[in-house]
Amino acid sequence: MRRFRGESLHKVDVKGRVSIPAQFRRVLEEGDPDFKSGLNPSCVLVHNQKSKKCLEGYSISSINEVDDLVSRLPRYSRDREILERMLNAQSSYAQIDDNGRLVLSLKLRQRIEIESEAIFIGMGDKFQVWEPNAYRRDMEQIEYEFNLYDEKDNPFNLLQSKHSLDA
Amino acid sequence: MRRFRGESLHKVDVKGRVSIPAQFRRVLEEGDPDFKSGLNPSCVLVHNQKSKKCLEGYSISSINEVDDLVSRLPRYSRDREILERMLNAQSSYAQIDDNGRLVLSLKLRQRIEIESEAIFIGMGDKFQVWEPNAYRRDMEQIEYEFNLYDEKDNPFNLLQSKHSLDA
DNA sequence: AATCAGTTCCCGTATGAAACCTGCTTCGAT
DNA sequence: ATCGAAGCAGGTTTCATACGGGAACTGATT
């Protein structure tokens, strides 16, 4: 399965329409079971927490994986209620139009404080949408945090295959 | 199967009529085995506990799943009696009219203290109906609770595929 | 039979979103 | 450097939906 990769800057017009990076479309098409050549794929936009100033976009197959995990929790449990609120209530389907664009509603634009530009960030099985300056700041924060780790205790060290863990 | 997603605010008129979000109708149609194009799907409204100031709406297939789970409990057991009371007694069928609206009876409106507006909340396989301010308060509570979790003990950590749990 | 409350059906209308169309820019191949 | 295709962006039109008003129907009561 193809993955979302790279960063890409696009204009947002007065109606909130914005082009999805062309490479991302290919990933969305692959991940939409209902997609047929000639039609347009859809995706799901999640705007989790107010504190997080970005949207997260999922392909259909990718959000289904998440939903299936939630469905395994007991119905009516508090954990499940919280997750449904975070993932289902705070989200929406988005149809991609014939020109490869999606519409960010006014509400969504205000949420992430976007005016006339948006930057798309590939994150593997999902992508993020940021206001460009907010993204730059977030990336600086990430780099700062990363540099605080020492050699021994570093996220990269979590990248051990199961094989090498057993050894 | 499509899922209920997003939040949507609608007017409630003096007769108690309120539009169901257009996207929710598609989910109800998919979930109603008796639905045929041109007709209107129905749904089930549950008003569980007095303390919970919202209604929960299910598609037919979705409420069937819940009923099946209840049916697995021993007949005449106390647990089953309680659940039947919660889920069956405190609920009603609701027909959607030609304009995609349903009627909230006066009793239901009083129960959730709705006056002239209602907000619909997608919760995956069901949806909720709240008085808008009550919902805002509930959502603040959810976010507050969510922020109390630390990094290690967080509902999102329950979303691990079986594979990685085994490792 | 007459009244009344509650409900369903059938409209008209306004708003906002989706579809359509059309240029401009970028990029890759020749 | 030139050409063609694809990506991007913008404006206009069309249509679906939300929402309210009013007429017709129900059936319960006196």
Side-chain angles (χ1 to χ4, degrees), chain B residues 70-128:
Chain B
V70 175
S71 305
R72 297 219 188 107
L73 298 176
R75 252 175 224 279
Y76 310 115
S77 69
R78 188 62 176 162
D79 285 335
R80 180 156 169 182
E81 178 98 355
I82 289 174
L83 286 173
E84 304 264 25
R85 281 287 175 84
M86 290 295 184
L87 291 167
N88 288 325
Q90 309 283 51
S91 75
S92 57
Y93 283 100
Q95 266 274 27
I96 296 173
D97 75 13
D98 291 340
N99 296 326
R101 294 178 291 195
L102 53 79
V103 179
L104 302 179
S105 67
L106 186 60
K107 190 177 125 193
L108 285 183
R109 273 176 280 162
Q110 286 171 343
R111 167 75 80 120
I112 59 177
E113 289 167 11
I114 269 182
E115 284 152 35
S116 66
E117 285 189 323
I119 189 164
F120 286 73
I121 313 300
M123 298 282 287
D125 56 0
K126 68 186 179 190
F127 62 86
Q128 297 183 334

Side-chain angles (χ1 to χ4, degrees), chain A residues 61-72:
Chain A
S61 64
S62 179
I63 198 69
N64 282 347
E65 272 178 42
V66 178
D67 285 335
D68 284 349
L69 293 174
V70 175
S71 304
R72 297 214 189 117

Side-chain angles (χ1 to χ4, degrees), chain A residues 21-71:
Chain A
Q23 319 102 282
F24 285 18
R25 280 175 233 164
R26 304 292 95 77
V27 186
L28 292 174
E29 288 165 3
E30 264 188 44
D32 188 342
D34 296 334
F35 172 77
K36 277 161 205 144
S37 187
L39 294 176
N40 309 320
S42 26
C43 66
V44 170
L45 295 180
V46 181
H47 46 113
N48 292 355
Q49 299 115 300
K50 280 205 198 88
S51 57
K52 198 163 188 183
K53 288 284 178 215
C54 74
L55 306 177
E56 295 198 327
Y58 293 78
S59 68
I60 302 299
S61 64
S62 179
I63 198 69
N64 282 347
E65 272 178 42
V66 178
D67 285 335
D68 284 349
L69 293 174
V70 175
S71 304

Side-chain angles (χ1 to χ4, degrees), chain B residues 17-34:
Chain B
R17 296 180 300 187
V18 56
S19 283
I20 296 182
Q23 319 100 283
F24 285 18
R25 281 176 231 164
R26 304 291 96 77
V27 185
L28 292 174
E29 288 165 3
E30 264 188 45
D32 187 342
D34 296 334

Side-chain angles (χ1 to χ4, degrees), chain B residues 15 22 27 32 36 51-53 61 66 72 78 80 104 106-107 111 119-120 122 124 131 145-146 148-149 151 154:
Chain B
K15 299 179 191 175
V27 185
D32 187 342
K36 277 163 206 142
S51 58
K52 197 160 189 186
K53 289 283 179 215
S61 65
V66 178
R72 297 219 188 107
R78 188 62 176 162
R80 180 156 169 182
L104 302 179
L106 186 60
K107 190 177 125 193
R111 167 75 80 120
I119 189 164
F120 286 73
E131 193 282 323
E145 269 182 53
F146 181 78
L148 290 185
Y149 292 105
E151 174 110 7
N154 177 306

Side-chain angles (χ1 to χ4, degrees), chain A residues 162 166, chain B residues 160-167:
Chain A
K162 193 151 183 295
D166 290 342
Chain B
Q160 299 299 328
S161 64
K162 193 143 182 305
H163 177 71
S164 46
L165 277 175
D166 290 342

Side-chain angles (χ1 to χ4, degrees), chain A residues 33-34 41 51 59 63 78-79 91 95 104-105 110 117-118 128 139-140 144 146 161:
Chain A
D34 296 334
S51 57
S59 68
I63 198 69
R78 189 62 174 164
D79 284 333
S91 77
Q95 266 272 29
L104 302 179
S105 68
Q110 287 172 342
E117 286 189 322
Q128 296 183 334
M139 200 62 210
E140 278 165 13
Y144 172 76
F146 181 78
S161 66

